[in-house]
Amino acid sequence: MADSIPDNMTFAIDHEMRRITYIKTGEINKENSILSGRLINELEGFDPTYTTLVDLRKITVVNLSAADLSGIAKEISTFDRRTGKIALLIGDRTGRLVLAKLFAEVARVLNTPYTYNAFRKLQSAEAWLDSDT
């Protein structure tokens, strides 16, 4: 699978922390968002109960519409086996934070077995992932 991972996607699993980390750079769109979900589920050592930190701070182009957010959440929910929390780390861009929070709400409405939340700061994202709530 390592050969099929695009250069602008990095994945790591920390078994001690029980966390998957995914870093995305460059453009984000519907297609590569769905692909990243597939790749996470195919990682060697993947455990669906682990939390996931999705670091999107180095995104340079956002090519997503509101309709894309629903499509992404629906498509990923058809194959994603994760049951843990997923933190979307956005950084200081307010528009991107709003978009990520909208995506988290769409996923909640679709009753996905995992919970998304969006954060500006790494410390806040990690604290939420490590909490019991």
Side-chain angles (χ1 to χ4, degrees), residues 34 37-38 41 70-82 103 106-107 110-114 116:
I34 293 169
R38 287 193 190 284
N41 279 262
S70 177
I72 292 166
K74 285 178 185 174
E75 178 72 19
I76 288 177
S77 71
T78 66
F79 61 79
D80 199 344
R81 298 176 290 145
R82 288 178 290 175
F103 177 73
V106 167
L110 291 173
N111 293 315
T112 58
Y114 35 82
Y116 285 98

Side-chain angles (χ1 to χ4, degrees), residues 40-104:
I40 286 171
N41 279 262
E42 296 173 1
L43 289 172
E44 184 175 329
F46 172 79
D47 185 319
T49 64
Y50 285 13
T51 60
T52 306
L53 176 65
V54 179
D55 188 342
L56 302 171
R57 294 176 293 179
K58 293 184 179 178
I59 294 295
T60 56
V61 176
V62 176
N63 191 3
L64 293 167
S65 68
D68 288 337
L69 299 181
S70 177
I72 292 166
K74 285 178 185 174
E75 178 72 19
I76 288 177
S77 71
T78 66
F79 61 79
D80 199 344
R81 298 176 290 145
R82 288 178 290 175
T83 58
K85 296 187 266 184
I86 303 169
L88 305 172
L89 181 57
I90 305 304
D92 294 328
R93 310 273 303 260
T94 300
R96 293 179 184 187
L97 182 67
V98 170
L99 195 63
K101 287 187 177 285
L102 177 59
F103 177 73

Side-chain angles (χ1 to χ4, degrees), residues 15-33:
H15 293 289
E16 185 176 318
M17 293 286 299
R18 300 183 51 82
R19 178 159 305 142
I20 300 165
T21 301
Y22 162 53
I23 301 170
K24 173 78 173 89
T25 61
E27 179 182 358
I28 188 168
N29 58 43
K30 182 178 179 180
E31 293 75 25
N32 62 36
S33 296

